[in-house]
Amino acid sequence: MKKIFFAILLTLGFLACTDNFEEANRNHFLISDEELDQDFNRLGSPFQSLLSNLFGHQIEEDLCHDNWVRHLGTPTPFVGGVNNTTYYMRWNTYWNRIYNSVMSPAAQVIKQADEGGYEVFSAWAKLLQIYAISKLTVYHGPVIYSNYGVSGQANIYDSEPALYAQLFTDLDAVQSVFSSNKDYQGLKKFDASYSGNMAQWCKLINSLRLRLAMRIVKADANLAQTQGEKALGHADGLLASNGDNFNVSLYGAKLPMNVICFEWGDTRMGAAMESFLIGLKDSRIASYFAPASDNTLYPDHPDWPYKGIHSGAFLEAKDQRLTYSTVNESFKAVTSRRSFTYSEVCHLKAEAALRGWDNAGDAKTNYEEGIIASFADWGAGGVDAYLADATSTPIDYVDPKDSKNNWTSRSTVTVAWNEADSDELKLEKIITQKWINNFTNANEAWTDHRRTGYPKLPYNTKNDSGADWGVIAADDFLRRVPFLNSERENNAEGVADATQKLGGPDEIGTHLWWDTGGSNF
């Protein structure tokens, strides 16, 4: 009997120990499936990475479009001074960031959200795919979008006309979901930009539609006007104040420009920024840059103690120009970066008004409001005097370290609006101000420069373009980035088809669809 009783106790003890076996043996430092599903964690957790990877770092931005559009210049002669900034391609990685860190994880969110019936999360992920691809296509032209993830067709690129048509269609679908769910609270926990405010996201959708519409205005004027007027007249509105700005959180990371400038010493103020900001007496210069640490560098403008580095310059040694103007120290403390501002919307509306689009308002009013909003956003003063200045123009540039980098300003633009000016000159003023405002967001500034030719920036003094990647004339600018070598090697058929859709050789001098050249009207 004792043996039987002991066996019963042992059995009961075993059952008691295993009754909560799964909980007892769970790793409490990991998130369970149940916890992932609570408060939309499974769907929402990828969005921090999706938003962060809309932007690149040194070899994706600073040594590419930040230099090409002359916002910044490098003191460092990378790879013997022959590199992207001098029109010889060394780095081409933004494609991988967009596909690996935005398109792919967003597709997974869309799949899970669709399966679970969470249409707002699905639409939000789709919107970030649209946003990301709209930034990537200005590098290459044709990209993989409508066929992305489609079995048997996943390597087929969209032509640019087909891509933009699809982007507008997809914006319609996203807009329908967001507009129908204004009271939805599910995004709040994961949305560091707008705290889940659906009305704010609806304004961004309309603003993005207007940006893309204006981008293609010279390639397909009818589609551009249709989509632009759709955005301008939509009941949900556009970004309407600096409080509506689409700022993307750094999520505790450092602003890449800050790291590149202060920790690596590889970027400085661009010479064109020196020319325009000092020439136009623009107080935003103090928000963007710090005075040069060598007071002998600017004898031509001693009252404005700044010195920039020409992009595409002759450089001998990094140490020669480290005393030129860094970016402003305040960038060390920023917690987010600008991605789409109210000022940009004002300038888009000013151009739309020039083109006679419905609901665009008055060109002068929009132009001046864009400048006022930019000064306020950047914490600069003196905007009234700036708007009234009809005589100040960009200055010539002198490089005290190497006169080969000197140049005479191609631009004689002023600030004050004049109704008697031609539409072409008015557009030059609008785009010049848009370029100044879009500091730290050079992707769109580079797009505008190729589309319109404005602002009238200096050409490279050192031009290493050639047979390898294509030739850029001495009086022209790099027009695009070639398709990736990995795509050429692993998707040769897709790249061949994409090159045919591009309408020219897969080279840096081939114009994109919307970059038609010639008059803007």
Side-chain angles (χ1 to χ4, degrees):
M1 288 293 294
K2 290 182 179 181
K3 291 182 179 179
I4 295 172
F5 180 71
F6 179 77
I8 292 172
L9 288 176
L10 186 63
T11 302
L12 290 172
F14 176 79
L15 290 172
C17 290
T18 60
D19 187 54
N20 198 26
F21 181 80
E22 291 183 4
E23 177 62 24
N25 287 276
R26 184 170 71 86
N27 185 339
H28 289 272
F29 293 99
L30 298 178
I31 300 175
S32 70
D33 288 345
E34 290 78 11
E35 288 168 330
L36 279 173
D37 289 330
Q38 290 172 5
D39 299 324
F40 309 110
N41 285 321
R42 186 189 300 275
L43 292 173
S45 58
F47 279 91
Q48 174 177 328
S49 178
L50 295 179
L51 287 158
S52 298
N53 283 290
L54 293 174
F55 300 96
H57 211 289
Q58 184 176 31
I59 61 175
E60 296 154 319
E61 292 192 350
D62 182 73
L63 293 172
C64 291
H65 55 58
D66 287 349
N67 265 261
W68 296 331
V69 83
R70 314 312 195 205
H71 279 171
L72 296 168
T74 181
T76 311
F78 290 102
V79 200
V82 179
N83 53 62
N84 288 31
T85 70
T86 66
Y87 298 161
Y88 189 89
M89 298 304 300
R90 299 287 188 185
W91 309 291
N92 185 4
T93 61
Y94 191 47
W95 172 286
N96 290 330
R97 179 182 292 271
I98 292 300
Y99 282 105
N100 294 341
S101 300
V102 181
M103 292 297 290
S104 178
Q108 292 300 312
V109 171
I110 291 169
K111 181 177 183 295
Q112 293 173 11
D114 288 346
E115 290 173 350
Y118 301 107
E119 64 173 357
V120 176
F121 276 94
S122 179
W124 194 23
K126 173 53 71 174
L127 176 60
L128 296 187
Q129 285 189 326
I130 295 168
Y131 204 93
I133 286 295
S134 77
K135 290 165 66 76
L136 181 65
T137 182
V138 302
Y139 270 69
H140 303 287
V143 291
I144 301 170
Y145 178 70
S146 63
N147 293 307
Y148 182 75
V150 177
S151 178
Q153 302 180 56
N155 294 329
I156 299 176
Y157 289 60
D158 290 295
S159 69
E160 290 178 271
L163 173 67
Y164 282 91
Q166 188 63 53
L167 291 178
F168 289 131
T169 297
D170 288 349
L171 278 176
D172 288 339
V174 172
Q175 190 166 43
S176 177
V177 172
F178 275 51
S179 293
S180 300
N181 289 274
K182 292 285 182 61
D183 296 328
Y184 189 73
Q185 298 295 311
L187 306 187
K188 184 175 182 178
K189 180 178 177 181
F190 313 101
D191 177 11
S193 297
Y194 291 134
S195 298
N197 187 320
M198 301 298 289
Q200 295 286 76
W201 282 103
C202 288
K203 291 179 182 180
L204 179 65
I205 292 167
N206 281 324
S207 301
L208 179 58
R209 185 189 300 276
L210 182 58
R211 176 194 275 179
L212 298 183
M214 195 61 71
R215 186 185 291 175
I216 66 170
V217 69
K218 291 169 66 175
D220 190 336
N222 290 333
L223 178 61
Q225 184 168 356
T226 297
Q227 291 295 327
E229 290 180 345
K230 186 173 186 176
L232 290 162
H234 198 279
D236 289 338
L238 303 159
L239 304 182
S241 71
N242 285 336
D244 290 336
N245 287 354
F246 178 44
N247 298 324
V248 177
S249 176
L250 296 172
Y251 298 99
K254 297 177 182 179
L255 186 70
M257 183 180 70
N258 168 30
V259 175
I260 300 164
C261 181
F262 295 111
E263 298 183 20
W264 301 343
D266 285 331
T267 200
R268 291 292 185 268
M269 175 185 190
M273 289 296 253
E274 175 189 340
S275 170
F276 280 85
L277 295 176
I278 292 176
L280 298 179
K281 300 180 175 61
D282 194 321
S283 63
R284 284 172 291 187
I285 194 171
S287 299
Y288 294 177
F289 303 106
S293 58
D294 179 353
N295 60 14
T296 69
L297 295 175
Y298 42 84
D300 50 329
H301 48 78
D303 294 335
W304 293 78
Y306 301 88
K307 176 52 63 176
I309 297 175
H310 180 42
S311 308
F314 289 93
L315 305 171
E316 292 182 2
K318 177 176 179 175
D319 290 349
Q320 285 185 330
R321 293 175 178 80
L322 289 178
T323 56
Y324 288 38
S325 291
T326 65
V327 299
N328 191 282
E329 291 270 342
S330 63
F331 286 109
K332 292 181 178 180
V334 298
T335 58
S336 64
R337 66 179 294 181
R338 294 165 176 83
S339 188
F340 209 141
T341 65
Y342 168 55
S343 177
E344 181 183 341
V345 169
C346 291
H347 293 312
L348 285 166
K349 290 172 66 178
E351 182 175 351
L354 279 187
R355 299 185 180 281
W357 290 5
D358 289 344
N359 297 306
D362 176 69
K364 176 180 184 291
T365 302
N366 286 320
Y367 168 75
E368 292 183 344
E369 175 62 16
I371 295 172
I372 292 168
S374 180
F375 269 64
D377 189 34
W378 287 103
V383 70
D384 291 338
Y386 185 79
L387 288 170
D389 189 344
T391 58
S392 298
T393 58
I395 62 174
D396 299 337
Y397 173 72
V398 177
D399 183 356
K401 302 298 182 181
D402 191 337
S403 63
K404 293 195 297 294
N405 296 321
N406 296 353
W407 43 262
T408 301
S409 175
R410 296 176 56 234
S411 177
T412 57
V413 74
T414 58
V415 175
W417 189 265
N418 183 352
E419 288 294 355
D421 287 341
S422 67
D423 283 349
E424 196 72 48
L425 181 52
K426 290 175 181 175
L427 181 64
E428 181 180 359
K429 291 186 177 186
I430 292 167
I431 300 300
T432 298
Q433 290 299 322
K434 196 176 174 187
W435 172 80
I436 294 172
N437 174 70
N438 273 345
F439 181 61
T440 71
N441 187 26
N443 181 283
E444 201 59 31
W446 181 44
T447 303
D448 278 331
H449 180 245
R450 287 174 290 162
R451 174 176 69 89
T452 67
Y454 302 131
K456 292 180 180 178
L457 298 174
Y459 304 115
N460 270 30
T461 53
K462 189 173 190 292
N463 184 337
D464 292 310
S465 63
D468 286 358
W469 301 109
V471 175
I472 303 297
D475 60 351
D476 200 359
F477 300 88
L478 182 144
R479 294 290 167 178
R480 65 179 290 273
V481 174
F483 298 123
L484 268 65
N485 281 335
S486 59
E487 279 289 295
R488 292 176 172 184
E489 295 166 1
N490 301 318
N491 184 22
E493 185 176 347
V495 170
D497 178 61
T499 303
Q500 186 176 21
K501 291 170 179 172
L502 179 65
D506 181 19
E507 296 178 351
I508 61 175
T510 299
H511 288 233
L512 299 187
W513 174 56
W514 42 263
D515 175 15
T516 64
S519 171
N520 288 293
F521 296 93

